[in-house]
């Protein structure tokens, strides 16, 4: 019966390890990429709004030569404040499902005003007026394309599903951790210290797993070379991934130390208890 009990103990220990890994991974994701405030802080950190502002202006200039208008008509038609406001509105739609839409009327009005100032009293025919209207519409459309690249409604729906299942998995992991620890205590009721040794092994295994994952990703994937959509978005993703890996490595180190400490301390207790029992047997 003892070999079966030993096997059960190690199976429970493995389950405990997997549950700890699952809980910590979900907890890490929930506090970073699944957290709107975290992403907002990262946008500030990489000067996201300034970079998008430069990108928007650059994209506008691609249309100016086709229009035949002077480049000055594009000056100050969009502000950094508007880009910041609209970028945050996008995050609200993505994370919270907000239905508020960002508008381009301000850009249209500013652009039309600049065009009027540039042309002065020049009289335009119908064809020229239509061309200018088309140019204005293209600039407004380009602004939309420059600050959003995806179907936000679809992403929000997927986000809700991810959060829902993540929360469920987190609760299951917590319950499994608690049940596993209780089982280890029950299975080692006569030698409780062995339960703590097995818990230490689980923590050590989790720590080693996180450290290996961190080293593997850093070795196999060149995070700083990741390029998605544009340099600004890529920098955001690179910064988030780098911080995630840093935290994973920190978790790994902390768990490794705690796990080894439990193993060493309770092995010492085991040795002391064993030595005491042997002494008592010799005396008897």
């Amino acid at each position: 019966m003892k070999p079966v009990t030993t096997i059960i103990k190690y199976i429970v220990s493995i389950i405990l390890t997997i549950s700890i890994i699952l809980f910590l991974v979900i907890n890490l994701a929930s506090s970073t990429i699944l957290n709107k405030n975290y992403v907002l802080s990262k946008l500030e950190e990489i000067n996201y709004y300034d970079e998008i502002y430069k990108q928007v202006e650059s994209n506008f200039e691609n249309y100016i030569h086709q229009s035949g208008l002077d480049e000055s008509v594009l000056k100050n038609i969009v502000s950094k404040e508007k880009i910041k406001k609209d970028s945050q509105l996008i995050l609200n739609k993505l994370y919270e499902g907000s239905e508020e839409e960002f508008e381009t009327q301000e850009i249209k009005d500013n652009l039309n005003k600049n065009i009027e100032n540039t042309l002065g009293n020049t009289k335009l025919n119908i064809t020229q007026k239509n061309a200018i209207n088309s140019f204005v519409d293209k600039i407004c459309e380009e602004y939309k394309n420059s600050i959003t690249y995806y179907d936000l409604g679809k992403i929000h729906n997927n986000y809700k599903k991810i959060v829902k299942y993540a929360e469920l998995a987190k609760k299951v992991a917590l319950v499994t951790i608690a049940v596993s620890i209780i089982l280890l205590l029950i299975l080692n009721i006569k030698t409780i210290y062995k339960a703590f040794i097995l818990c230490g092994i689980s923590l050590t295994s989790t720590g080693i797993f996180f450290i290996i994952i961190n080293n593997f990703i850093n070795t196999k994937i060149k995070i700083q070379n990741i390029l998605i959509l544009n340099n600004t978005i890529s920098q955001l993703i690179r910064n988030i991934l780098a911080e995630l890996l840093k935290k994973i490595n920190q978790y790994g180190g902390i768990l490794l130390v705690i796990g080894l400490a439990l193993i060493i301390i309770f092995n010492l207790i085991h040795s002391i208890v064993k030595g005491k029992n042997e002494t008592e047997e010799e005396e008897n």
Side-chain angles (χ1 to χ4, degrees):
M1 192 69 182
K2 192 174 180 180
V4 174
T5 305
T6 302
I7 292 171
I8 293 173
K9 289 177 184 178
Y10 282 105
I11 290 174
V12 173
S13 183
I14 291 169
I15 292 172
L16 177 59
T17 302
I18 294 170
S19 300
I20 294 171
I21 291 171
L22 181 61
F23 174 78
L24 290 176
V25 168
I26 294 172
N27 195 56
L28 185 57
S30 297
S31 63
T32 54
I33 54 176
L34 297 179
N35 186 305
K36 187 188 78 170
N37 292 328
Y38 171 82
V39 175
L40 279 171
S41 70
K42 284 297 168 185
L43 294 184
E44 295 283 359
E45 189 177 295
I46 66 168
N47 296 318
Y48 177 86
Y49 310 115
D50 290 342
E51 294 302 319
I52 290 295
Y53 178 77
K54 293 175 186 175
Q55 182 183 315
V56 166
E57 285 199 323
S58 176
N59 291 346
F60 285 169
E61 290 171 3
N62 294 332
Y63 292 91
I64 195 67
H65 301 297
Q66 303 170 21
S67 69
L69 295 167
D70 189 86
E71 289 185 8
S72 61
V73 300
L74 298 175
K75 294 296 182 183
N76 302 319
I77 63 172
V78 63
S79 64
K80 292 180 183 179
E81 288 72 22
K82 176 170 178 55
I83 287 176
K84 181 175 183 178
K85 178 185 174 182
D86 288 343
S87 296
Q88 292 177 351
L89 189 151
I90 288 170
L91 284 181
N92 289 339
K93 288 173 72 69
L94 197 156
Y95 283 94
E96 299 169 2
S98 169
E99 295 183 0
E100 184 182 356
E101 298 289 340
F102 59 84
E103 50 83 26
T104 57
Q105 188 60 46
E106 178 186 336
I107 298 172
K108 182 179 287 189
D109 292 343
N110 290 337
L111 182 53
N112 279 324
K113 184 178 179 181
N114 286 351
I115 291 172
E116 288 174 9
N117 291 337
T118 300
L119 295 177
N121 296 322
T122 303
K123 291 187 177 181
L124 304 174
N125 57 40
I126 296 297
T127 302
Q128 290 171 323
K129 287 181 180 178
N130 288 338
I132 288 174
N133 289 335
S134 177
F135 170 70
V136 171
D137 289 340
K138 284 181 180 177
I139 290 297
C140 291
E141 189 62 30
E142 179 57 38
Y143 175 75
K144 289 182 180 180
N145 294 334
S146 294
I147 64 170
T148 181
Y149 313 88
Y150 25 66
D151 184 343
L152 295 173
K154 185 177 180 180
I155 292 179
H156 173 66
N157 290 334
N158 291 331
Y159 168 78
K160 283 200 302 183
K161 290 178 183 177
I162 290 170
V163 170
K164 177 183 175 181
Y165 291 123
E167 285 301 314
L168 178 61
K170 189 175 179 180
K171 290 176 182 176
V172 170
L174 270 174
V175 171
T176 306
I177 289 169
V179 171
S180 297
I181 292 173
I182 292 169
L183 281 174
L184 288 176
L185 291 171
I186 293 171
L187 290 168
N188 295 279
I189 193 68
K190 293 181 180 179
T191 50
I192 291 294
Y193 54 83
K194 289 185 179 180
F196 287 100
I197 291 172
L198 288 170
C199 288
I201 291 172
S202 292
L203 291 175
T204 302
S205 301
T206 304
I208 292 172
F209 174 80
F210 279 146
I211 291 170
I212 289 173
I213 286 295
N214 173 68
N215 291 336
F216 177 81
I217 294 175
N218 279 317
T219 302
K220 298 295 181 180
I221 302 174
K222 302 299 180 183
I223 292 176
Q224 294 308 315
N225 294 334
I226 291 176
L227 184 61
I228 299 174
L229 296 176
N230 59 51
N231 287 332
T232 309
I233 297 295
S234 299
Q235 185 59 46
L236 175 64
I237 292 171
R238 288 195 291 263
N239 278 27
I240 290 175
L241 287 176
E243 185 161 322
L244 283 172
L245 289 175
K246 183 180 178 182
K247 287 188 176 182
I248 285 173
N249 199 47
Q250 288 174 344
Y251 281 6
I254 292 169
L255 291 169
L256 183 60
V257 170
I258 294 173
L260 289 174
L262 285 175
I263 293 170
I264 292 169
I265 291 169
F266 285 97
N267 264 312
L268 285 172
I269 293 173
H270 170 60
S271 298
I272 293 169
V273 171
K274 186 178 179 182
K276 185 179 179 181
N277 290 338
E278 288 175 352
T279 301
E280 289 176 352
E281 286 176 4
E282 288 176 1
E283 291 176 351
N284 293 331

